[in-house]
Structure formats: structure tokens, C-alpha cells
Amino acid sequence: MAQTKQTKAVRGTGVREAAAQATRDSILKAATKVFARYGYDGGSIEKISSSAKTHDRMIYYYFGSKEGLFIAVLEGIYHRMDRAEATCAPDTADPVAALKTVIRFKIDYYRRHPEFVTLLNTENLHKGKHVAKSEKAVEYSSTAVDLIRDILDAGVAQGLFRADLRPRDVYLLIVSTAYFFTSNRHTLSAFLGESLETPEAVAAWERFVTDSVLRVVRADAAPLPVTA
Amino acid sequence: MAQTKQTKAVRGTGVREAAAQATRDSILKAATKVFARYGYDGGSIEKISSSAKTHDRMIYYYFGSKEGLFIAVLEGIYHRMDRAEATCAPDTADPVAALKTVIRFKIDYYRRHPEFVTLLNTENLHKGKHVAKSEKAVEYSSTAVDLIRDILDAGVAQGLFRADLRPRDVYLLIVSTAYFFTSNRHTLSAFLGESLETPEAVAAWERFVTDSVLRVVRADAAPLPVTA
Amino acid sequence: MAQTKQTKAVRGTGVREAAAQATRDSILKAATKVFARYGYDGGSIEKISSSAKTHDRMIYYYFGSKEGLFIAVLEGIYHRMDRAEATCAPDTADPVAALKTVIRFKIDYYRRHPEFVTLLNTENLHKGKHVAKSEKAVEYSSTAVDLIRDILDAGVAQGLFRADLRPRDVYLLIVSTAYFFTSNRHTLSAFLGESLETPEAVAAWERFVTDSVLRVVRADAAPLPVTA
Amino acid sequence: MAQTKQTKAVRGTGVREAAAQATRDSILKAATKVFARYGYDGGSIEKISSSAKTHDRMIYYYFGSKEGLFIAVLEGIYHRMDRAEATCAPDTADPVAALKTVIRFKIDYYRRHPEFVTLLNTENLHKGKHVAKSEKAVEYSSTAVDLIRDILDAGVAQGLFRADLRPRDVYLLIVSTAYFFTSNRHTLSAFLGESLETPEAVAAWERFVTDSVLRVVRADAAPLPVTA
DNA sequence: TATGAATGAGCGTTCATTCAT
DNA sequence: CATGAATGAACGCTCATTCAT
């Protein structure tokens, strides 16, 4: 078909355009759910179309292909993540509190948006080939790291934080611990013999991560010297 | 599964038994590769059988079903991981060095066995339903955490480490940072705009993680107090 | 087909009528190309509309259905063939030269209009059902045979040609040899192990056909008597 | 699937093998009929499988793909054509009679095997791409032309035929006239306003072609000199 | 022990076409 | 006059699996 309908910036909000947009949105929403639950290959077009209460054909009408739809889904979750991160926006005047807010936000966001996690894992299974095809996805990149940079800078200025930290590393430290806990909760629960899905387990993990990150960034302490 | 041929304890190592074992092994090896690359749904019986140079039918003969085969694959990677971990076995007399060895091992193992990572992600996509069906998988659980416990205990005994740490948390801290770096390297590379696959990036990450963990566990430092 | 827009007798050549005619023409041209290349079933509406840089819908607006479009295409190629034949118009005063001109024209026309050949083959695959629905196609019929009749009559009058020939047979003899050479060039090339698409091969075939037809029509020779 | 079952030379004619061969044959037979009637694109897998009273799946089991099936069909009709031609085998001792036999055979074969004609036209629509993939198809090439060569040689030796003829040209002359008459009978009937399908029309055409070919090959006559 | 034959449901995608302004 | 939205059936093909020896 090729001539995929974009419909992104609908100006004349007539009845027809609104209905069309609704169809498009419902497909996108259903696809997000289905892909998150079953993965890319397991998420069949039929599962999506029936969940969206449309016909298979409309998916191709609006998104061109399964791959096109998946890319749109990825763009969607990245976009929403980015917006949520923007609304988080802690006050960098208090860098310790800000760091804590960020950690809490990350753990919370992944917990409440497991589809974000599974979709990202799915995309990694495919070696990031879909993200590579999207121009939008890259836009949302720097803001997250920039926030950490601002916080670290403020902490350093106040004499609280070490000056030798790369913001990207601290960002990754936080994200790893928050992401992994949600991403691998099923195998971990089986492996450790205890559920990681209870509110208590999550809260305990958040406390541990917060405490650990603050130990890492604080100014007046060194790690133990490695003897070997 | 019913009358699936186990062939596990091959006593009479006749020619036929050996050939049968070879077929079984080649299926298992091929399945590991295919499932790791394409996921569970994307990894078709035909891809596996042709990669193993056998017929589809043999997979059912030896493993009963696709699910049975996937479970066997999971058991295999857990088993190999467990054995590798056992050979790691650092000297707990020097807990700092031991911790460092463990971190290096984890980062290294995930790096060199990306199939372990993708298969675990695949299993988490399916909410751990296959691991649940395996009796073997649980066996390999505690050894890893026990090692951390021994190291921490030694560190505490030597006055180097904090006493208030739960081994499981430290274990998860190490594993998160090591695992996530490999697991999400594709989307992260796109997101951060720099490749995380270079040897330099990996080495730098290992250094940062080691440094951070040692800051977390050391005895004579507290985290920054949270004001809010 | 019902209320298909004909637009045939455009009187008021306003801007809109001209644009509409342009759209119609471009669809017809694209359809000729696509049907000639892919056949009727292989030539999809979408291939045609995208090649004509219009929308699928316009095809239905102007031609009512895929079948209606195909009929219009057939009428078009018949029409152009008829016009080209009219411009050929050799001088019957020299019947031998005229015959030669006709043969050259036929071989040349099929060569330079392979779409005519493939479209006719496609129509024959469908047992001529579309031509049957067209009133126009029949009009162009007799002129071609009539020309041969005139030439033969002139040849007989001049004592050069046999009098017992049916013009239709001579017409078919010429057309068979010219048409088949183009129509089956691909399988023939494979079958004979030599390309029939080179200019030399075409020229040699034209010479052979001309020579043969002239032997057939000449007055003072009989065929070899059939013994059996 | 790739591992397409060949089963061509079945040695152990057990019940299973025989049944399998029957399935394969019935698919091939049905495919020949369906492709001949609807063309390649119009001939759907479902039409073929239901006509063969099997399942779609078996077509892929035995022939790998639609294209593989079509190639097998082409090989089949070429093979049968070749065998029929071999059984024709006229006595070259009487070259005139032999030539007549060949012409009759050709006209007759195309008439009674219209699927040969439409399949060849279909293949030419696709520019011979399938024949090119078949190794078998080329084998049957030369025998047909060789027969004409033998006849012409005998005729020349007896002083009946011209010596300056290329066998390939005479072969093509015969085949053109025979093939075209069947191939284009539908459009021709509409074009000429008379049916070419009646036995009388066919017999008349056979007489004309025979007469014409014999005029072309006879020794003691020249074509009319071309003045222009 | 091992394998060829067969199965039917489902896959992603394209088809020609109509609806409703 | 022109077109975006929608439709459902069919497309070629692959799926995991069982049958029958």
C-alpha cells in the first residue's frame, strides 16, 4: 500500500477525521498491549485487530505492516516515558532529594508500566532494528541523562557529591537496578525462591538502591582499595 | 510429554546410544541458538531441526513438544551458568578481591553468553511459566547468593564491610548492573548515541561497577542523609 | 459499470475537464503497462493506481471495475494497432512490394509493442471474454484482412499471384509467423538455445517469412504433391 | 521446508510410497489444469489443492512453493510433448509425407492439448523465468528440430527440396502457424467474425499450411522477386 | 529406533471493492 | 468532483503436531 495514512496533525477535526483517529489510536493501544504480552512474533495481527475491535486490514491501512506498527508502538512508549520524565522534574536545589525522587520515579515507572520493559526487551531481542528505523526515538535521549547531570552538578557545587562521576554512569546505575528488578522479576522470583512482586519487596529494593546510590555519589568517602 | 526419551543415564554406550545422544545434543544446541536469536515464538521447530540437521519429528521424539524443548534449553543454560560459577570460586579470605572477581565474572559471562541473557528475557516475557515446570532449575539457585554471603561475612569479620547488608541485595546489585548492560545494549546504544559494545566501554563499566559496589559495602561510611 | 464517467466527448475543455482527462489517461496508460507485464490477475489495482500516481478509488470512478479497465485497455491497444495499420497503407499497384511492407510492418509492430502481444495472450487465456463485452473491438476487424485482399486482387490482376487464395489465410499466415516470433521468444530462446531477440535474428526471420510468403502466393508454381 | 520430497524414482513400491506418489501426481495433474486455465497468478494454491483433493500443505511438502510447483508443471508438459513427438516419428524416406505428418501432428497436438499452449504463454508472460530454473526443460530441445533436419536432408537428397533452408526456420514456420491458430483462437474468432474452433476450420487450416509449407520447400521454384 | 506422510489452523499480507460524505 | 475510510475474503505460506508404520 505504501501510502500509509499519517493523520498525525489533524486540523479539520470533522467527525470523519475524529473517527479515523480513534481507529488509529485504538489499534496502537491494542498493539502496545499485545506486543508487550506476547512479544513481536507472538503478537499476531489478528490478536491486535480483534483487541482493537477493527479489522486486520486497517492495521495495514494505517501502519503499512506489522513492523511499521511495532515501530509506532516503540515510539509511543518512548514518547510517554519522556513526557512522564519531564513531569517528574525534581528540584535540583536539593540534589540528594532530587536523586531520590529520580530513583523512586524509575522504579515506580517500570513497575506501573511493565509493557515498557517487555517491549524494550523485545526490541533488544531484535537487536534494536526497529528503533534504528525510527527517527523519533532518538529525540528523547539526552533529557534523561541531562537531568542527572544537573543534579550531580548541583551536588558537587554544594560539596556533597564527588566531582569525578560521569552522569551517564550514574544514570545507568539507577536504571539498571530499577529496570532489572521489574524485567527479571519472574525468573528471579523462581531463582531466589521469594516473590519480588509484593509492595514490601519493591519498597525494600527502593530503599536499598537509594541508599547505595547515595553512598556511591557522596563526596567524602572512597571505595575499599582493591588489593589484587 | 509422556514417554519422552530421556537417555540421560546412558550406561551401555553402544553405537546406537551414542548416535542418539549426538542427535539429542545437536537438537539442544541448535534450539539454544535459535530460541536465543528469535525468541520462543519466533524460533520455529523447522528452524531448529534444519539447524540441527535432523527432522522435525526427532524433536518430538526426544523432547515431546516445543515447550519441552524450551524447558530443556533453559535447564541447559542454567546448568552451564551454575558450573561456570562454581569454577569461578574466588578466595573469600580476600573479600575485596573476591567481590571484584565476582563482578568481573558476571559482566564477562553475560557478555560472552548473550544467549543466556536473551533466553532469560524470553522466559520473563512468558512470566516464568517454563522455569516453573522444571524441577532442575531451582537447584542452581542458592549457590550464587551463598557465595556473596560468604564474601560479605568474611568482609565483616575483617572489619572491612558493613554488617547490615543482605547478601541477596548485593547479589542483585551486581547482577542488575552486569545483566542490564548486556541485555539492553542495543536500545541503550541507540538511546545514548554511543556504542556499548566496544571493549573499552565494557571495561569502563566494569571499573565503575566495581568501584560503586565497594563504596556500597565498605564499613566506615554512611550514605548522604535524605533531607526530604 | 453503471454510471462510469466516460468523458469521451469533452466539449468544454475547461481546466477541470483537462485534469480529469489527464487522470483518466494516466490510469489507462499505467494499466496497459501493468496488465501487459503481470497479466490480468497479476496486475493489481494498487500496482496500477500507484504507477499512475492516483488512488485506487479513481479507477473505480473512471472505469467502474477492474474488468472495465481491462476492456478499456484492450480497446486502446486495438485502436492504436488499427491506426498504425492505416498509416502503413502500402501501394497495392505493386503487390509484391506491398506484401513485403505488410510483413515488415507486422513483425516490426509486435516487436515494438510487446504489450500488444502479452495483452492479447492474456485475453486468450480468458477465452476472449472481455473482447466479447466490447463493442468497439469488432470495428477494427476487417480493415486488416481487406488490405490483404486488395493486394492479392492486384497481384492476381497482374498475373503474379495465384487466384485460389483466401485473403484470410494469407493474413493469418503472415500474422502467425510475426506474432509467434515475439510472443514465444522467451521459451523459444531457451528451447532453441539461441536468443531470438537480437536485431540480426529478427531481420533473418523477416527475410525468411517474406521469401516464404512470396513462394506461397506466386502464380506459376504448385506445391509438391502429397503422395500419401 | 526446503527438504522437498523428490520421490521421483520410487524403488520400494510399498503401500505408503505408492500413496505418496499418488498424492504427488494428483497435485501435479490438478496444477497443470488450474494453471492452464487461470494462469500463474489466477491459479491459486487453494484451487489446486481442492482440485487434487489434498490440503494446501501437501503442495509445499512436495514442491516447496508455488513457483516450484509451476516449474514441475512446465517440466511435465515439455516431457509429455517430447514423448509424443518421439512416437510420431514419420518415415523420412518419403519426405513430403513426413513433412505433412509433422504438420498434422503439431496442429493436432496443440488442439488436443490447449493446456500446453496456455502454459507456454503464461511462461512467456513471465519472460521464461521458470524454464530458466529448470535443468530438465532444456533436454527436450533439439530432437524436434533434428527431425525436421532429417526430413529436409532426405528431400534434398531426392531432388525434391531446396538445399538453402535452415531446419530451424522450417520448424518455426510450422510451429508458428500451428501454435498461433490454437493460442489466439478466441481473439481471432472475435476479430474475424467466424469461429476457428470447428473441425472444418481446423482441417482447412491444416490443408492451407501443408500446401504452403510444401510450396516453400520445393526445389524448382523461386519466390517472386521483390521490386522495391 | 527412526522416519516419511499427513494434518488443519494460523501466519502476515494483499485483494477488488463499497461506504459516506 | 473527488477522496479518505472501511471491508471481508482470499492470498501464498508456515505453524506445531500426529499418524502409521
Side-chain angles (χ1 to χ4, degrees), chain B residues 203-215:
Chain B
W205 182 244
E206 186 192 320
R207 258 179 282 124
F208 174 73
V209 170
T210 306
D211 178 273
S212 297
V213 171
L214 291 181
R215 284 172 189 271

Side-chain angles (χ1 to χ4, degrees), chain B:
Chain B
M1 268 183 282
Q3 58 279 69
T4 306
K5 298 290 168 269
Q6 287 301 123
T7 330
K8 49 187 170 187
V10 187
R11 285 197 312 143
T13 32
V15 178
R16 300 184 66 126
E17 286 89 346
Q21 188 67 22
T23 301
R24 213 191 110 99
D25 287 352
S26 101
I27 289 172
L28 205 48
K29 197 175 173 186
T32 304
K33 198 182 65 184
V34 169
F35 281 137
R37 179 158 172 192
Y38 300 100
Y40 182 78
D41 289 288
S44 67
I45 293 286
E46 200 273 331
K47 274 193 189 111
I48 295 167
S49 69
S50 73
S51 168
K53 295 189 173 61
T54 346
H55 305 278
D56 294 17
R57 192 63 189 77
M58 289 295 93
I59 290 174
Y60 292 89
Y61 187 69
Y62 284 113
F63 299 95
S65 68
K66 186 182 184 179
E67 211 171 353
L69 175 57
F70 188 71
I71 291 172
V73 165
L74 283 182
E75 288 175 345
I77 59 158
Y78 266 122
H79 179 62
R80 284 193 294 280
M81 168 62 156
D82 191 58
R83 278 202 319 197
E85 210 147 32
T87 63
C88 170
D91 181 17
T92 53
D94 183 347
V96 171
L99 217 45
K100 191 176 172 183
T101 302
V102 168
I103 292 168
R104 166 166 289 170
F105 169 79
K106 285 290 175 191
I107 291 180
D108 218 52
Y109 192 85
Y110 297 146
R111 269 234 98 203
R112 290 160 70 164
H113 298 275
E115 80 279 2
F116 181 85
V117 171
T118 47
L119 285 167
L120 236 58
N121 280 358
T122 294
E123 176 61 359
N124 275 292
L125 178 67
H126 291 83
K127 312 200 178 192
K129 60 179 279 199
H130 304 107
V131 183
K133 290 185 182 175
S134 167
E135 309 97 27
K136 296 185 182 177
V138 204
E139 299 175 16
Y140 316 123
S141 54
S142 53
T143 51
V145 180
D146 284 345
L147 174 59
I148 299 293
R149 188 188 326 274
D150 291 346
I151 295 172
L152 289 183
D153 285 348
V156 171
Q158 296 179 25
L160 294 168
F161 293 174
R162 295 158 56 195
D164 63 334
L165 283 166
R166 290 162 62 192
R168 195 210 71 177
D169 288 341
V170 177
Y171 171 77
L172 284 183
L173 177 63
I174 295 171
V175 170
S176 313
T177 49
Y179 187 96
F180 181 76
F181 196 82
T182 288
S183 163
N184 287 40
R185 81 201 113 110
H186 297 110
T187 50
L188 280 178
S189 294
F191 193 74
L192 297 174
E194 57 169 323
S195 174
L196 301 184
E197 310 217 44
T198 64
E200 294 76 26
V202 178
W205 182 244
E206 186 192 320
R207 258 179 282 124
F208 174 73
V209 170
T210 306
D211 178 273
S212 297
V213 171
L214 291 181
R215 284 172 189 271
V216 168
V217 299
R218 68 170 299 163
D220 56 348
L224 287 160
V226 180
T227 50

Side-chain angles (χ1 to χ4, degrees), chain A residues 88 90-91 94-108 148 151 161 174 203 206-211 213-214 217, chain B residues 224-228:
Chain A
C88 169
D91 182 15
D94 184 345
V96 171
L99 217 45
K100 190 175 174 185
T101 303
V102 168
I103 293 168
R104 165 165 290 167
F105 169 79
K106 286 289 176 192
I107 291 181
D108 218 52
I148 299 293
I151 295 172
F161 292 175
I174 295 172
E206 187 193 321
R207 258 179 281 119
F208 173 73
V209 170
T210 305
D211 179 272
V213 171
L214 290 180
V217 299
Chain B
L224 287 160
V226 180
T227 50

Side-chain angles (χ1 to χ4, degrees), chain D residues 16 44-46 57 60 66:
Chain D
R16 300 275 302 245
S44 69
I45 292 288
E46 199 276 331
R57 191 62 189 76
Y60 295 90
K66 187 182 185 179

Side-chain angles (χ1 to χ4, degrees), chain C residues 94 141 191 215 218 221-222 227, chain D residues 94 141 191 215 218 221-222 227:
Chain C
D94 184 345
S141 54
F191 193 75
R215 284 173 190 272
R218 70 170 298 163
T227 50
Chain D
D94 183 346
S141 53
F191 193 74
R215 283 173 189 270
R218 69 170 298 164
T227 50

Side-chain angles (χ1 to χ4, degrees), chain A residues 7 17 22 35 38-39 44 51 61 66 99 105 107 120 126-127 138 182 184 186-187 190 203 206 216-217 221 223 226:
Chain A
T7 329
E17 286 90 348
F35 280 137
Y38 301 99
S44 69
S51 167
Y61 187 68
K66 186 183 187 180
L99 217 45
F105 169 79
I107 291 181
L120 237 58
H126 292 84
K127 311 202 176 186
V138 202
T182 290
N184 287 40
H186 298 109
T187 50
E206 187 193 321
V216 168
V217 299
V226 180

